[in-house]
């Protein structure tokens, strides 16, 4: 699924991003209610992991605004408040599920999978663009039925591009999705992996699927031999 995490604690947001990504989902992060609401309304997400206590609009308010605008994206609310009335308030605001802090990442991931099944939105673990396929869980890449050997990082970069369904993905988005500490890295490291991917998924097959969008990032689109 494509999941938005709205959490103001940087360390927890990073932990959630890594855990949810490792479960085969694609993750965006917002650290306050205003940015979270903006992304939620424009990003076409399958689910939102929403902290209750946020700078700007609270999690309850973000959820209420989404529902008022007839946006029914699945919402899993996180909060340090564990009283039954707090949980009732969150559910009444429109949340689909509720998890109190501290929580188990194993349980959070299971809850997200359950929400995906409930709505029939859980996505397959295999991505495809033309004759290029990537099994995320097995880290198995194939082109024209020939296996392409990829490192874990290369597979993660390729998966982020394939999940964009032909859309452009910026270097920073790739960094945020694939690396554990993106703030400490030069965004140009992405170029190294893109170059390596081209040599593996395009050059041996006479293809030009992985393209640079000048000033914006990269996109992956079908290309005939």
């Amino acid at each position: 699924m494509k999941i938005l995490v709205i959490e103001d604690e940087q360390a927890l947001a990073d932990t959630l991003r890594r855990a949810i990504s490792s479960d085969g989902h694609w993750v965006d992060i917002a650290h306050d209610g205003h940015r979270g609401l903006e992304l939620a309304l424009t990003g076409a997400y399958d689910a939102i992991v929403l902290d209750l206590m946020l700078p700007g609009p609270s999690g309850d308010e973000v959820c209420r605004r989404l529902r008022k605008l007839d946006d029914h994206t699945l919402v899993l609310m996180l909060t340090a408040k564990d009283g039954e009335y707090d949980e009732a308030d969150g559910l009444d605001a429109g949340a689909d599920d509720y998890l109190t802090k501290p929580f188990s990442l194993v349980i959070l991931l299971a809850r997200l999978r359950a929400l995906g099944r409930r709505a029939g939105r859980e996505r397959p673990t295999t991505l495809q663009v033309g004759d290029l396929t990537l099994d995320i869980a097995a880290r198995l890449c194939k082109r024209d039925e020939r296996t392409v050997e990829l490192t874990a990082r290369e597979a993660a970069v390729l998966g982020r591009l394939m999940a964009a369904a032909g859309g452009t993905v910026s270097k920073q988005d790739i960094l945020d999705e694939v690396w554990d500490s993106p703030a400490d890295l030069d965004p140009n490291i992405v170029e190294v992996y893109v170059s390596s991917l081209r040599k593996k998924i395009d050059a041996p097959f006479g293809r030009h699927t992985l393209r640079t969008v000048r000033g914006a990032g990269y996109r992956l689109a079908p290309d005939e031999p």
Side-chain angles (χ1 to χ4, degrees):
M1 295 188 290
K2 184 179 179 183
I3 296 174
L4 172 63
V5 173
I6 308 177
E7 167 61 60
D8 64 316
E9 294 181 39
Q10 180 75 47
L12 178 56
D14 288 343
T15 297
L16 290 171
R17 175 177 56 79
R18 290 193 296 270
I20 295 170
S21 296
S22 70
D23 206 40
H25 307 292
W26 309 104
V27 186
D28 287 333
I29 301 289
H31 295 295
D32 62 74
H34 291 295
R35 179 60 176 162
L37 185 60
E38 178 186 0
L39 287 176
L41 292 172
T42 59
Y45 296 97
D46 296 300
I48 300 171
V49 177
L50 178 61
D51 186 27
L52 181 62
M53 303 299 290
L54 293 167
S58 67
D60 279 348
E61 183 60 24
V62 169
C63 198
R64 286 194 183 92
R65 292 188 192 182
L66 289 174
R67 300 313 186 220
K68 187 175 181 179
L69 292 169
D70 203 30
D71 185 310
H72 299 288
T73 304
L74 299 165
V75 173
L76 172 59
M77 191 169 285
L78 303 178
T79 180
K81 296 182 176 182
D82 59 1
E84 60 182 16
Y85 290 104
D86 297 312
E87 181 173 352
D89 286 344
L91 295 173
D92 286 343
D96 298 279
D97 202 353
Y98 193 97
L99 199 58
T100 57
K101 299 177 181 179
F103 53 84
S104 160
L105 288 173
V106 172
I107 296 300
L108 179 138
L109 295 175
R111 295 277 187 94
L112 285 173
R113 291 194 295 270
L115 287 175
R117 290 193 299 271
R118 184 190 307 173
R121 297 180 183 183
E122 193 166 35
R123 294 180 178 177
T125 60
T126 300
L127 300 170
Q128 183 166 3
V129 175
D131 65 352
L132 179 69
T133 62
L134 176 66
D135 184 323
I136 301 169
R139 210 179 74 208
L140 177 63
C141 179
K142 288 187 177 183
R143 164 148 269 165
D144 194 23
E145 297 306 316
R146 289 166 55 187
T147 298
V148 179
E149 297 292 339
L150 299 178
T151 66
R153 192 85 70 186
E154 288 169 345
V157 172
L158 179 60
R160 181 65 182 89
L161 291 165
M162 293 179 78
T168 299
V169 184
S170 71
K171 287 181 184 179
Q172 192 61 53
D173 283 344
I174 294 173
L175 273 179
D176 289 343
E177 184 78 22
V178 175
W179 274 266
D180 290 342
S181 302
D184 300 329
L185 297 172
D186 182 341
N188 289 327
I189 193 175
V190 176
E191 294 179 9
V192 176
Y193 283 87
V194 168
S195 176
S196 179
L197 283 171
R198 284 188 174 124
K199 292 175 183 177
K200 292 184 176 184
I201 67 171
D202 278 350
F205 302 91
R207 305 296 180 85
H208 183 54
T209 55
L210 182 44
R211 305 167 188 175
T212 299
V213 181
R214 193 172 300 278
Y218 305 96
R219 64 186 292 264
L220 196 70
D223 182 39
E224 295 301 322

